[in-house]
Each structure stands twice: as structure tokens, then as C-alpha cells.
Amino acid sequence: MAYEAQPMHVVVFPFLAHGHMIPALDIARLFAARDVKSTIITTPVNAPIFTKTIEHDNQTNDSNIDIEILRFPTREVGLPEGYENWEQVTGSAMSKLFLRATEMLREQLEQYLEKERPTCLIADMFYPWATESTSSFNIPRLVFHGCGYFPLCAQDNILRYAPFKNVSSDDETRTLSPFPDKVMFSRTQVPEQFWGDEDNSYRNMMELIRKSDVESYGVIVNSFYELEPKYADFFRGELGRKTWHVGPVSLINRSFEEKAMRGKQASIDEHECLAWLDSKKPCSVVYISFGSRTNFVASQLHEIANALGNSGQNFIWVVRNVENEDWLPAMFEQKTGGRGMIIRGWAPQILILEHEAVGAFVTHCGWNSILEAVSAGVPMVTWPMLADQFYNEKLVTQILQVGVSVGAKKWSAVPSAEHVIKSEAIEKGLTEIMKGEMAQQMRRRAKELKEMARSAVAEGGSSQSELTALITELRSYHKNKSQR
């Protein structure tokens, strides 16, 4: 059989963390919606994150999505049995073991690729070795970073030019150059491993990822051109990367059921949550959530609670991994009355953000959360902590101008009582985002971005056209290969 006559088969291999797996599933569903067979590769513990949505799509939308399960080598590296998700990992020692375990998935992946010979492999950034694996079988490998063009450009600049290496203090700022806009960072807002003199595993890994970008077939980006056009052009032109933007991928979730089941099982009844929001006026509720991995010390939770108590704002606050209520101020529930709801665990975030009562989002600036807020037309209070979050904050507050900062200054993967944001700063951010002319301007701009996002994924939109171009190119790649 000629290769071009074979049906397309796209394999998606996400990193084992919710922030990577959730958009990766949406990407697989985008291909499946174009009648392309899609397979998600994961491990036994993580499989349930995908199964419910895949069963729903295969039954209701006649999609063709499979799951391939790889055994995760916890025992070989010394991890506890069942530790297969990044959110279970604590401390640098365990992090290194976990990353070592992901590297050991290579043999199983290559066995699968040799057997199936898919059209392409979309492998997460944290699997830089996947480029070499696919080249053995002449299969195109696309890199999925889970972030947008702006953070990709910013990180590449900092790795390439080391602008913080010779600054005299942590407070001294540097402008990224060359760069499309004047964007300034302080040294503490980037990982210390990026500017310290010592060789380190984190920087080495990021360099491997950057090298993998260059050597791979290309990069698939969860963004849309209208959101960050200068940075899409810069990434492609100045940095020479081959890319396709197909986002916001979360917008493939159209029905109530699809939005409610996205990610984990919600810790609150979705209908109860929405009924509470129905009782509030439009744009009167602040939604506070810091992603699937962020943990705060008790003193920081106490400051947030004080800010909410003193602000007078309606709120929904998502709190995770808290064993007791000692951090709640005295009389908090009496003080906030019926204007507040605390969700302990996982929240149906898209449903909440899209409700007309929600007027702002206090966020850790994870890329998924930013795109979900943009797609819902909700301005943001930014509170970055780690990963690409400080880059994303600059995009939201300076470039897009749909957010205000609480003033976080320290990049840190470990929660600390030394860098607690005080309630006054939090309350100031809440006031700026909810009241006054500046708040109205940000809200209008956020609504414009919402329309752009939805147009991008609609018929003839920029992201839909990019996906079409990618599918066409992949078909052409294998057609040409079969004729050699």
C-alpha cells in the first residue's frame, strides 16, 4: 500500500502534569475533529484524566481517539509506587528522580513508534530525547511547550544573552534585547539557574529543550496570532523556529458537560456553583485560583483571606492541599457573609470564568489559566511564582494591558514565608481590577480579546487555518517520503 493512502495517525505524548495533559488532550481532540486518528500516550495513574472525555467524544462526536499506556518506572528510580504525576513530587531530589523516570519511558515509546509508524509525534518539551527517537523512524516530531510565543521568546533571550549575569543587585532590572517591546525584568524574576555561574541540571535541561526545538520538525503552540502577533513573527523570523499556532485549544470544549469534565472531577457540584453565581450581579465576583500545583504557606493564605474580608468584593476562592483551617482569620465567614465561596480542591474553571457574574481573575499566570481568562473576556490580577509565569505576567499587564500585578518579585518553586504578599497589596489589586475607569478599560480590552480568540478557532480563523496547513503539510511529508 502506498504511504499516502494510509490514514493519518497523530500521537500526542504529554508531560505527566495536569497543566500539560489537559491542553494536550484538547490538541488530540482537534485532530480527531478533522477525522484524524489520535492517540494519547500516558501511564496507568494518569489515564483516568483522559478516559471520560475520550469516551464522550468517541460516542457523541464519532471521534477516533485511543489511549496507549506505558509503564512508569517508579521502582527503578526509587519513587514510591503510584507516583506518576508531577503534582505528587516534592523537593528537588524527588524531582530529579521523576524526570529520570520519564527518560526511561524512551524504550517503550520507541517500541510503540516502530510498531505503529504514526504520521507524527507531538511530544512535550520535557522529552527532548523524543526528537532523536522519531528520527530513527523518519517520523516528524512536533514540540509542545504548553505556553505561548511571548514566554518562548523571553526565555530564549535570557538563555541566549544572559542579561542578569553581571547585575549588582537583585532589584536591578534589565531590558530584554533584541526584543519587539521594551520589557524589563529583575534578576529575582527569573530562575537563579539562568544567571548563576555554576553549571546546573535545570539550565542544562532548558538548553537541551531549546536544542530540541531547533532540531525537531517544528513547534505546535497553544496560542492565536492576534494575541501576540509580534512574538509569533519574532519566534518564526528572528529565532528561526517552524511553528503552528492552534489555540486557544480549550475552546474545543463547547458543551456544559465538556467544560465540567475537563481535568479532574470538580470538588463542588457545578450546578450549585453556577446557581450561586446566578445570584450575583454581572462582573461583581472575583475568582481566585492558583493552578494545579501551587501551594501557599499558611501565612500567605491568611493574607489573602484578610484582603477578601476587607475588600467587600464577592469572591470564589479555590484552595488546595490545606489540612486545617488555622489560617482563616477569626470571624472570616461572618465577615464575608453570603458574598464568598471557598472551593477546596478542583474547580470547574472554564464554567466559572465564562459566567457573566465574574469580573476578574486572580491568577498565578499559568498559560492555560491566562488563555481561559482571555477566551472568557475576564481581566486579571497577576501573581506569578515559577516556571514561565513571570514572563506571562509581563504579557498580560504590559503588552495586552488586561491585568494588574500584586507585586510578586521572587521566582521560587518552593513556597516561603519570606516572600508573602501582604493583604494591602492584594486588596489594592482587587480594587484596581474591579473599580474605576482603568478597570473599565481593561474589561473592554478583555472583551475584544475574547472575540479575537473565538474568531481564531472559527471557520477561516487564524488558528483553524494553521491546523489545516499543518495537517496538509504532514500528509505531504509522507507522500513525498513514499515517492523517494
Side-chain angles (χ1 to χ4, degrees):
M1 182 188 293
Y3 204 108
E4 63 268 28
Q6 295 181 6
M8 283 191 71
H9 179 196
V10 171
V11 175
V12 183
F13 185 26
F15 187 62
L16 304 174
H18 282 85
H20 292 245
M21 291 187 289
I22 293 171
L25 173 58
D26 287 337
I27 289 172
R29 296 172 67 212
L30 283 173
F31 280 98
R34 299 291 193 93
D35 296 323
V36 174
K37 179 183 177 181
S38 301
T39 299
I40 294 275
I41 294 182
T42 191
T43 67
V45 168
N46 293 294
I49 296 165
F50 305 103
T51 50
K52 192 172 182 181
T53 298
I54 288 174
E55 288 169 1
H56 171 270
D57 276 15
N58 289 347
Q59 291 172 6
T60 60
N61 302 326
D62 198 27
S63 296
N64 187 3
I65 308 177
D66 291 331
I67 297 180
E68 178 70 17
I69 305 294
L70 304 184
R71 188 186 68 81
F72 196 69
T74 50
R75 188 175 303 169
E76 289 88 331
V77 299
L79 283 171
E81 198 66 33
Y83 272 56
E84 300 180 13
N85 190 288
W86 187 245
E87 288 154 38
Q88 299 168 293
V89 173
T90 57
S92 60
M94 188 176 284
S95 297
K96 290 176 182 177
L97 294 178
F98 188 89
L99 291 173
R100 174 61 185 142
T102 64
E103 293 173 6
M104 293 174 68
L105 294 172
R106 179 171 180 169
E107 182 178 353
Q108 293 179 75
L109 173 70
E110 291 180 356
Q111 290 172 354
Y112 175 80
L113 294 176
E114 184 174 22
K115 178 183 70 173
E116 292 293 327
R117 301 293 176 130
T119 309
C120 82
L121 173 71
I122 301 174
D124 197 278
M125 59 178 278
F126 284 112
Y127 307 134
W129 44 265
T131 298
E132 188 176 312
S133 294
T134 52
S135 66
S136 304
F137 308 106
N138 199 14
I139 297 169
R141 184 265 171 119
L142 298 175
V143 183
F144 176 60
H145 283 270
C147 65
Y149 285 112
F150 182 92
L152 288 172
C153 292
Q155 180 161 285
D156 184 275
N157 184 284
I158 291 169
L159 283 169
R160 189 187 299 263
Y161 299 108
F164 302 102
K165 199 163 189 179
N166 297 315
V167 298
S168 58
S169 71
D170 288 343
D171 295 329
E172 188 176 346
T173 57
R174 283 286 186 266
T175 302
L176 301 190
S177 179
F179 218 59
D181 292 292
K182 183 178 180 180
V183 181
M184 304 185 77
F185 291 88
S186 66
R187 185 165 68 180
T188 56
Q189 292 177 320
V190 299
E192 184 176 350
Q193 294 92 332
F194 283 9
W195 50 263
D197 292 328
E198 293 184 9
D199 191 27
N200 62 81
S201 59
Y202 183 78
R203 183 187 177 91
N204 292 342
M205 180 178 65
M206 300 314 293
E207 291 285 7
L208 279 175
I209 289 169
R210 188 156 68 100
K211 183 172 181 283
S212 178
D213 275 5
V214 175
E215 295 177 351
S216 71
Y217 190 76
V219 180
I220 191 165
V221 182
N222 180 17
S223 187
F224 59 103
Y225 185 78
E226 295 80 1
L227 184 70
E228 38 183 354
K230 287 187 285 188
Y231 295 93
D233 293 341
F234 188 84
F235 196 65
R236 288 169 160 170
E238 295 296 322
L239 301 185
R241 305 292 202 274
K242 190 174 184 179
T243 71
W244 295 266
H245 42 263
V246 298
V249 299
S250 60
L251 288 177
I252 195 172
N253 299 279
R254 297 184 177 89
S255 69
F256 177 92
E257 185 179 11
E258 288 172 332
K259 295 170 186 177
M261 73 172 65
R262 191 167 186 256
K264 299 181 187 178
Q265 179 68 40
S267 303
I268 188 173
D269 181 83
E270 293 89 352
H271 298 282
E272 176 189 344
C273 182
L274 296 183
W276 185 87
L277 285 168
D278 288 340
S279 70
K280 307 303 177 186
K281 295 179 181 179
C283 297
S284 69
V285 177
V286 177
Y287 173 59
I288 306 109
S289 180
F290 299 99
S292 57
R293 184 165 167 80
T294 301
N295 295 312
F296 280 129
V297 293
S299 56
Q300 184 62 84
L301 294 172
H302 187 82
E303 295 293 332
I304 297 171
N306 278 333
L308 293 172
N310 296 333
S311 70
Q313 299 291 343
N314 298 320
F315 65 88
I316 292 180
W317 181 13
V318 182
V319 180
R320 297 198 176 97
N321 302 323
V322 176
E323 295 180 358
N324 57 59
E325 304 295 305
D326 293 347
W327 49 271
L328 272 177
M331 306 296 290
F332 178 78
E333 292 186 3
Q334 292 87 331
K335 192 172 185 178
T336 57
R339 64 179 177 85
M341 172 183 287
I342 296 179
I343 300 176
R344 292 167 173 82
W346 189 267
Q349 183 157 294
I350 292 180
L351 290 174
I352 292 171
L353 287 172
E354 290 183 349
H355 197 284
E356 65 174 2
V358 174
F361 179 19
V362 181
T363 173
H364 66 306
C365 297
W367 188 250
N368 294 324
S369 290
I370 285 175
L371 277 189
E372 288 161 16
V374 164
S375 300
V378 177
M380 289 163 264
V381 177
T382 58
W383 191 333
M385 296 164 215
L386 68 154
D388 59 346
Q389 295 163 16
F390 279 95
Y391 309 141
N392 297 337
E393 178 186 55
K394 301 292 184 182
L395 176 68
V396 169
T397 59
Q398 295 185 23
I399 309 301
L400 301 178
Q401 298 181 357
V402 292
V404 298
S405 173
V406 297
K409 298 184 183 301
K410 176 65 175 175
W411 192 104
S412 179
V414 180
S416 169
E418 295 180 26
H419 303 286
V420 166
I421 305 294
K422 297 298 183 180
S423 63
E424 294 81 6
I426 303 167
E427 188 177 349
K428 181 175 180 285
L430 295 176
T431 300
E432 289 180 356
I433 206 74
M434 295 295 282
K435 299 177 181 178
E437 179 55 31
M438 187 175 75
Q440 292 302 317
Q441 290 176 3
M442 286 189 288
R443 189 158 289 121
R444 286 193 291 270
R445 176 61 178 155
K447 298 300 182 188
E448 292 171 1
L449 291 175
K450 171 185 175 180
E451 296 308 315
M452 293 179 191
R454 290 169 187 270
S455 294
V457 299
E459 186 71 33
S462 57
S463 292
Q464 199 207 53
S465 298
E466 288 270 306
L467 181 59
T468 299
L470 174 56
I471 291 172
T472 300
E473 183 165 333
L474 290 172
R475 283 197 173 111
S476 177
Y477 175 90
H478 285 289
K479 180 179 180 181
N480 294 337
K481 186 181 75 171
S482 70
Q483 293 174 347
R484 293 190 190 111

